[in-house]
Amino acid sequence: MQGTRNAAKGLKLLLLLTVLAGCSSESGDGASTLLERSGVPEEQVVLRYTSYLLDAAQSGKAYFEAISEFEDRYPYIKIETDFIQNANYTAGVKIRLLGGEKIDVFDTWSPSLFQEFRQLRDDMYLDLTGMDFLQDMLPNSLAPVTVDGKVLGAPEVMHSNGLIYNKTVFNQLGLEVPQTWEEFLATCETLKAHGIIPIATDSEWSTAQFFWGPMLVNGGANPEWTRKLESGEIPVDNPIFVGAIRKHKEIIERGYVPPNWLQLKHEQAKDLVSQGKAAMITTGSWSLLSIKERNPSNEIGFMMIPGDTQTIPNINIGTYRVINARTDYPEEARLFVAYMNSKANQERLAAQALAVPSVASSQVVDHVIEDIATLLRREDAVLYWPHTVSNETLQMRIQEGVNKYLAGGTLADALADIEAALEERRNGRRARDS
């Protein structure tokens, strides 16, 4: 028995030395400071990490590599991964949080989903303010998860929404990237005249937002504009909102989309671009890799959707990593988030999935991503519009209204549906405040 206890003490001493040795390296994740403050617990810590990303073909490898390295570096911490598919993610996380199921660290894919989870209870997220690894984050990436001066989430890689285009097709026809809306329409006309589908859009409910969302940003829709829209200070039939969705309807009416677009899935739309049957596709920059892989002989590029008088880059933070404030292991959870969202891991993920790190001093290796990084780091870059909506449910209701209009419904009916959703949100807020 005594021998067993001595062996256990020896193991703990070895564990301590291993962890401290690991922390002596230059990691940039603030891990050393956290470890000194918290010490090494005598029992192994198990953190449950819930995410919708863990089976993604383009990024899953990077996540599991990082998790394995983290466990090697901190052998007293075990990460239990908990994968939930996108379609079930919002409900799955809510069930876990409200039902008392263990969840320590989890991901949100947008500021609106971040807010929806936060509304479940007052103390949803652990405060990350002041952590070393956040000091080099781009200010625009931290703003959506900063509440009352406290940073409650850690941004990961960034994307932009707009059009991925087949540069090979553009070069064959001598086309340049359009800089204005009129030039964009002229480009679509040229493509159509040559028997090429200008824009490969599809029927999936989430796709349309990647066109009219950037158009809203071009029109001046920023977080303050969205707040006024939700409060009723700006009516839903205002020129910025109506102008953006009318422009989207215009490309459909002009025949710039596949004639059977209402039957197409997003993956089929990607095939059209890779085959050269379509020149552009409505999506986000995260689709670059999957489209390039379909036909490596094509040169692929990304373009913003041009506005009438201005074209403003829109920022889409791919993921925010947050910590459940009721975790039993707050310091270990902070260690994990600091490691996963560090500069080194963001650069690795960005290289594998073709994305832009939210770390200001980071480097990218792909020339297309370098161009996107330049856009996203501009001072006038604005958060992608649908993600400025105050919660995920309202965002989806607005998208559903617009989708009905694009599919053939009337503008009046679409605006009425959206206004009803906005009024429900206002009534809910009034009820909570009373």
Side-chain angles (χ1 to χ4, degrees), residues 34 126-128 131 323 330-339:
L34 280 170
L126 194 69
D127 187 2
L128 306 178
M131 292 189 67
I323 300 173
E331 297 305 315
E332 289 77 13
R334 286 189 174 104
L335 274 176
F336 180 61
V337 170
Y339 192 85

Side-chain angles (χ1 to χ4, degrees), residues 88-137:
N88 305 315
Y89 191 72
T90 301
V93 171
K94 285 183 176 181
I95 289 170
R96 285 159 174 72
L97 292 171
L98 296 177
E101 187 175 342
K102 178 179 171 63
I103 179 171
D104 298 292
V105 178
F106 58 106
D107 292 338
T108 72
W109 57 59
S110 69
S112 52
L113 185 59
F114 166 87
Q115 292 293 351
E116 180 140 333
F117 289 149
R118 193 172 78 88
Q119 290 158 15
L120 295 176
R121 64 172 199 254
D122 293 336
D123 66 335
M124 178 54 65
Y125 301 126
L126 194 69
D127 187 2
L128 306 178
T129 307
M131 292 189 67
D132 291 346
F133 81 104
L134 294 177
Q135 304 310 308
D136 196 24
M137 296 291 180

Side-chain angles (χ1 to χ4, degrees), residues 169-245:
V169 169
F170 267 58
N171 291 340
Q172 289 170 349
L173 298 180
L175 296 173
E176 300 288 337
V177 172
Q179 302 300 311
T180 67
W181 180 251
E182 288 304 315
E183 289 180 7
F184 177 70
L185 295 180
T187 298
C188 290
E189 279 295 330
T190 299
L191 290 163
K192 185 180 177 182
H194 283 82
I196 297 171
I197 299 166
I199 306 167
T201 193
D202 59 75
S203 63
E204 294 193 23
W205 76 271
S206 62
T207 300
Q209 61 174 308
F210 304 139
F211 192 94
W212 56 264
M215 291 301 299
L216 273 167
V217 170
N218 289 340
N222 56 28
E224 178 61 15
W225 182 90
T226 308
R227 184 195 66 76
K228 291 180 178 179
L229 179 73
E230 292 192 26
S231 69
E233 297 173 65
I234 292 177
V236 73
D237 62 353
N238 74 92
I240 292 178
F241 190 83
V242 172
I245 62 176

Side-chain angles (χ1 to χ4, degrees), residues 90-399:
T90 301
V93 171
K94 285 183 176 181
I95 289 170
R96 285 159 174 72
L97 292 171
L98 296 177
E101 187 175 342
K102 178 179 171 63
I103 179 171
D104 298 292
V105 178
F106 58 106
D107 292 338
T108 72
W109 57 59
S110 69
S112 52
L113 185 59
F114 166 87
Q115 292 293 351
E116 180 140 333
F117 289 149
R118 193 172 78 88
Q119 290 158 15
L120 295 176
R121 64 172 199 254
D122 293 336
D123 66 335
M124 178 54 65
Y125 301 126
L126 194 69
D127 187 2
L128 306 178
T129 307
M131 292 189 67
D132 291 346
F133 81 104
L134 294 177
Q135 304 310 308
D136 196 24
M137 296 291 180
L138 293 166
N140 278 343
S141 70
L142 289 174
V145 289
T146 301
V147 180
D148 297 330
K150 296 180 179 180
V151 180
L152 302 180
E156 204 187 56
V157 294
M158 304 186 296
H159 298 278
S160 189
N161 304 87
L163 297 166
I164 291 176
Y165 70 103
N166 189 322
K167 192 178 290 188
T168 300
V169 169
F170 267 58
N171 291 340
Q172 289 170 349
L173 298 180
L175 296 173
E176 300 288 337
V177 172
Q179 302 300 311
T180 67
W181 180 251
E182 288 304 315
E183 289 180 7
F184 177 70
L185 295 180
T187 298
C188 290
E189 279 295 330
T190 299
L191 290 163
K192 185 180 177 182
H194 283 82
I196 297 171
I197 299 166
I199 306 167
T201 193
D202 59 75
S203 63
E204 294 193 23
W205 76 271
S206 62
T207 300
Q209 61 174 308
F210 304 139
F211 192 94
W212 56 264
M215 291 301 299
L216 273 167
V217 170
N218 289 340
N222 56 28
E224 178 61 15
W225 182 90
T226 308
R227 184 195 66 76
K228 291 180 178 179
L229 179 73
E230 292 192 26
S231 69
E233 297 173 65
I234 292 177
V236 73
D237 62 353
N238 74 92
I240 292 178
F241 190 83
V242 172
I245 62 176
R246 274 183 169 160
K247 278 183 166 58
H248 195 155
K249 187 68 172 282
E250 182 178 0
I251 68 166
I252 296 171
E253 293 173 339
R254 285 174 176 260
Y256 296 158
V257 301
N260 63 333
W261 74 275
L262 286 172
Q263 285 75 50
L264 283 182
K265 297 298 183 183
H266 195 54
E267 294 302 312
Q268 293 173 303
K270 290 181 182 179
D271 289 337
L272 292 175
V273 176
S274 67
Q275 294 163 4
K277 295 178 180 179
M280 298 174 278
I281 181 172
T282 306
T283 188
S285 56
W286 56 81
S287 293
L288 279 165
L289 184 60
S290 65
I291 292 175
K292 289 178 72 170
E293 288 176 339
R294 280 169 160 80
N295 188 349
S297 65
N298 283 327
E299 188 177 0
I300 301 297
F302 177 83
M303 72 171 76
M304 296 187 292
I305 300 171
D308 288 320
T309 60
Q310 61 181 358
T311 301
I312 300 175
N314 67 92
I315 301 171
N316 187 330
I317 308 295
T319 298
Y320 281 101
R321 195 153 286 120
V322 296
I323 300 173
N324 184 354
R326 296 182 181 178
T327 178
D328 292 330
Y329 306 107
E331 297 305 315
E332 289 77 13
R334 286 189 174 104
L335 274 176
F336 180 61
V337 170
Y339 192 85
M340 293 295 288
N341 291 61
S342 66
K343 176 182 175 181
N345 276 324
Q346 289 210 35
E347 287 182 334
R348 171 168 50 188
L349 178 60
Q352 289 190 17
L354 295 186
V356 179
S358 57
V359 180
S361 62
S362 62
Q363 302 294 317
V364 295
V365 295
D366 183 272
H367 71 279
V368 177
I369 296 303
E370 188 175 7
D371 291 342
I372 296 173
T374 300
L375 293 172
L376 298 185
R377 291 169 180 170
R378 274 173 38 179
E379 288 187 6
D380 63 337
V382 175
L383 189 67
Y384 169 60
W385 186 80
H387 287 178
T388 67
V389 176
S390 62
N391 69 20
E392 187 80 2
T393 299
L394 178 58
Q395 179 188 321
M396 292 176 65
R397 291 280 301 277
I398 292 172
Q399 290 180 50

Side-chain angles (χ1 to χ4, degrees), residues 73-101:
R73 184 172 179 181
Y74 304 107
Y76 71 93
I77 303 176
K78 171 68 177 175
I79 304 302
E80 178 185 283
T81 57
D82 174 31
F83 168 68
I84 306 176
Q85 289 183 328
N86 281 42
N88 305 315
Y89 191 72
T90 301
V93 171
K94 285 183 176 181
I95 289 170
R96 285 159 174 72
L97 292 171
L98 296 177
E101 187 175 342

